[in-house]
Amino acid sequence: MQPAFLRELLEEHNLRKMAWGVPSGYLVTVTLVIFAVFFDRYGLLPNADVLIFYLAPFKLLSNTMMWWAIRNRRFVLELAGLNQLADVILLTAVIYFTGGPASPLTSLYFVVLAIIATLTNAGVTITNACLMVAGYAIMLILISAGVLEVHPPFLQTIYEGNSGISWELVVLDTMKVLTLMAIMVAAMSTVLNMLRNREKELEEKNRELRKADRLKSQFIANVTHELRTPIHGVMGLSEMLAEDIYGESNAAQKKAFENINRSAQNLLSLVDDLLALEQSSSWRLDLAETDLNELAREAKSAAQWMRGTRQLQIEVDLPDQAVIVVTDRKCLSHILSNLMANAVKFTPEQKSVTLRVASAPGGARIVVHDEGIGIPPEARQQIFDAFYQVDGSASRRFGGAGLGLSVVASLTDRLGIEIEVESSEGFGTRFELLIPERAPGVDDQGAGS
Ligand code: ADP
């Protein structure tokens, strides 16, 4: 079982990042070889041939194997590990040949570690840092044990004899700093480029998602609009048939026409809910003074119609005086209609549903109370989610699409209405709406006066 930080390297985007280690590995090795050849010519680097003929080719070989592994997605972790080991051996050898603990090139450890950190992850960086420390410590132990001879610090021969800094030292040291800087800059700009490309990809994806979302909204708006016309046609015709406008119908036919009408009405509610859910956040509210008693009476007669012939009592409890708030009448009526539809649907016969209106500080309160099946406590958080139903099984007793309360949630939010639910399983449910005197945004829209 591999540790998580290694498994993470095998993800596609990390492999693509790691692939940048191959060219940077070639770059660092070739640069070192060029320097070694150059200093060897001037007798400044003892044992340069060990670097040039053994260690650098080993690194180039492991680097090439790594390139093969990433290309073929095979033995990636094994060959990446070998490549890292080759890095540490080459670096430690370069440091050893240029003076060991007194080498001016120990900073190469940090440069390479920075490149590794930007191309891999924290786990790999820490592992490499441990390998580097181990390599450096082994070198020191071998020197102190007398196994390895001590080389004079690099460039010492140049400033020996000269009092102060010679022009050779200036050139060589500047070249060293320049090379280290160049490697750092190349690594950083590569990473920044990669980040920028990724940002562009994300922006592009975002644009596509927004476009798909716009098309979906347009599609729902068009389809719901197209559906409403024939549904209204079916409702109108079934009403006319039931009223004997096209000739007398018997009791069974009348019942059938009523069923057709009820089904069409249910379909229309579903279509309206879909449209409301999709568009409520972008609707322009039509705010006006609204009498809640009047709205409650309308909701009651709609609920009576939904109840049909079931033995269910529907009551309204209204104050004597009109309760007026400034709100969007259509939206509030949609909210009440959905709450009443649920109350009627989930309440058994011989029980009652009550709609209560009252003035409240800062506005008004509407309560829809039923003596129905109730909502289990664990489901209360989810009932406002789209498509959620406490019983979502195919064999459920009650119909519906799970949209009603999510529409209520989005419309109450729009109108600045607070909604609270209390429920007791088997005893009933109570939805309480706290309606502000003026819906938010009323001043901007100039309504209500
Ligand atoms: P549905 O179309 O299923 O009624 P809603 O979004 O209106 O969808 O309601 C989600 C779920 O919340 C319902 O399926 C039901 O389980 C539960 N629920 C809502 N109102 C009531 C209520 N008055 N009594 C019992 N359960 C309710």
Side-chain angles (χ1 to χ4, degrees):
M1 187 70 187
Q2 288 150 345
F5 74 87
L6 287 181
R7 262 179 288 134
E8 189 192 82
L9 292 182
L10 296 175
E11 288 165 16
E12 199 50 39
H13 66 280
N14 281 330
L15 282 175
R16 258 182 278 142
K17 243 187 354 171
M18 257 164 73
W20 283 99
V22 175
S24 60
Y26 283 130
L27 187 72
V28 172
T29 315
V30 171
T31 313
L32 278 175
V33 168
I34 292 171
F35 272 83
V37 169
F38 175 76
F39 291 124
D40 188 39
R41 265 190 77 152
Y42 293 97
L44 296 171
L45 193 64
N47 297 324
D49 47 341
V50 177
L51 278 179
I52 300 165
F53 295 112
Y54 298 101
L55 298 176
F58 174 52
K59 166 66 192 167
L60 291 177
L61 178 70
S62 72
N63 213 44
T64 310
M65 284 162 79
M66 164 98 169
W67 169 76
W68 175 88
I70 291 183
R71 212 185 132 94
N72 294 297
R73 305 289 192 260
R74 296 184 63 192
F75 305 113
V76 174
L77 294 181
E78 291 83 351
L79 293 177
L82 181 74
N83 199 31
Q84 301 295 312
L85 201 65
D87 270 342
V88 175
I89 292 173
L90 180 67
L91 282 178
T92 310
V94 167
I95 290 167
Y96 167 65
F97 289 124
T98 54
S103 167
L105 295 185
T106 39
S107 52
L108 268 181
Y109 275 143
F110 307 111
V111 174
V112 172
L113 210 56
I115 297 174
I116 290 170
T118 47
L119 297 182
T120 59
N121 58 27
V124 176
T125 311
I126 292 169
T127 313
N128 268 280
C130 292
L131 276 179
M132 286 173 184
V133 172
Y136 191 68
I138 290 170
M139 176 193 74
L140 293 182
I141 291 167
L142 292 178
I143 291 174
S144 69
V147 179
L148 293 177
E149 60 176 295
V150 190
H151 289 288
F154 187 51
L155 302 183
Q156 198 186 41
T157 40
I158 294 178
Y159 34 75
E160 247 171 25
N162 292 325
S163 55
I165 295 177
S166 66
W167 70 266
E168 290 106 320
L169 181 70
V170 171
V171 171
L172 288 176
D173 228 33
T174 310
M175 275 169 71
K176 181 197 85 185
V177 171
L178 192 82
T179 313
L180 295 181
M181 293 277 185
I183 293 171
M184 286 297 269
V185 168
M188 292 304 166
S189 59
T190 307
V191 172
L192 283 178
N193 262 342
M194 282 179 348
L195 286 177
R196 212 163 294 139
N197 287 343
R198 190 128 187 86
E199 199 182 319
K200 268 193 207 143
E201 269 173 36
L202 284 176
E203 266 171 22
E204 183 58 32
K205 288 226 166 75
N206 236 340
R207 248 197 308 277
E208 280 170 20
L209 282 176
R210 272 202 299 269
K211 191 174 162 201
D213 194 51
R214 250 196 331 271
L215 285 177
K216 184 201 73 177
S217 302
Q218 223 166 27
F219 171 76
I220 290 181
N222 289 348
V223 167
T224 45
H225 183 258
E226 290 305 312
L227 280 171
R228 286 175 121 253
T229 317
I231 294 173
H232 276 299
V234 171
M235 283 168 65
L237 280 173
S238 57
E239 263 165 36
M240 283 155 84
L241 285 166
E243 284 164 15
D244 294 340
I245 289 177
Y246 296 111
E248 205 168 324
S249 48
N250 59 34
Q253 284 169 326
K254 277 201 168 63
K255 194 164 169 40
F257 298 145
E258 203 173 292
N259 281 340
I260 293 172
N261 195 279
R262 200 172 296 281
S263 301
Q265 180 72 52
N266 286 341
L267 204 55
L268 189 65
S269 308
L270 179 67
V271 167
D272 284 346
D273 275 351
L274 260 178
L275 192 66
L277 197 64
E278 185 52 44
Q279 301 201 322
S280 63
S281 56
S282 56
W283 268 345
R284 188 181 152 77
L285 294 180
D286 185 10
L287 299 173
E289 287 189 351
T290 306
D291 180 357
L292 297 186
N293 286 351
E294 198 184 304
L295 221 55
R297 277 186 216 104
E298 283 173 19
K300 180 189 174 183
S301 49
Q304 280 169 330
W305 187 88
M306 286 176 217
R307 171 190 61 183
T309 52
R310 287 172 61 217
Q311 298 297 306
L312 186 69
Q313 208 170 337
I314 298 174
E315 288 164 10
V316 284
D317 178 3
L318 308 177
D320 297 335
Q321 270 139 17
V323 181
I324 308 285
V325 293
V326 176
T327 194
D328 184 308
R329 193 179 203 284
K330 211 172 121 210
C331 283
L332 187 54
S333 159
H334 199 149
I335 293 170
L336 291 186
S337 155
N338 283 10
L339 291 178
M340 288 297 278
N342 277 346
V344 167
K345 180 162 61 175
F346 294 107
T347 303
E349 289 194 269
Q350 316 306 335
K351 301 275 179 181
S352 71
V353 169
T354 313
L355 178 60
R356 203 166 287 128
V357 176
S359 296
R365 173 182 295 121
I366 295 186
V367 173
V368 176
H369 181 231
D370 67 60
E371 296 175 344
I373 58 169
I375 303 167
E378 68 278 6
R380 266 169 235 162
Q381 288 295 320
Q382 287 148 282
I383 52 172
F384 291 100
D385 293 348
F387 306 111
Y388 177 82
Q389 296 180 304
V390 174
D391 179 6
S393 64
S395 56
R396 63 180 187 264
R397 269 189 299 157
F398 307 100
L403 283 178
L405 287 186
S406 56
V407 169
V408 167
S410 96
L411 293 181
T412 47
D413 193 44
R414 203 66 221 285
L415 297 181
I417 296 174
E418 274 178 47
I419 181 163
E420 278 173 23
V421 193
E422 280 171 28
S423 189
S424 169
E425 265 183 288
F427 291 99
T429 305
R430 180 179 186 277
F431 284 90
E432 178 173 321
L433 305 175
L434 279 172
I435 304 161
E437 211 169 336
R438 285 167 171 269
V442 64
D443 293 334
D444 311 341
Q445 305 200 11
S449 50

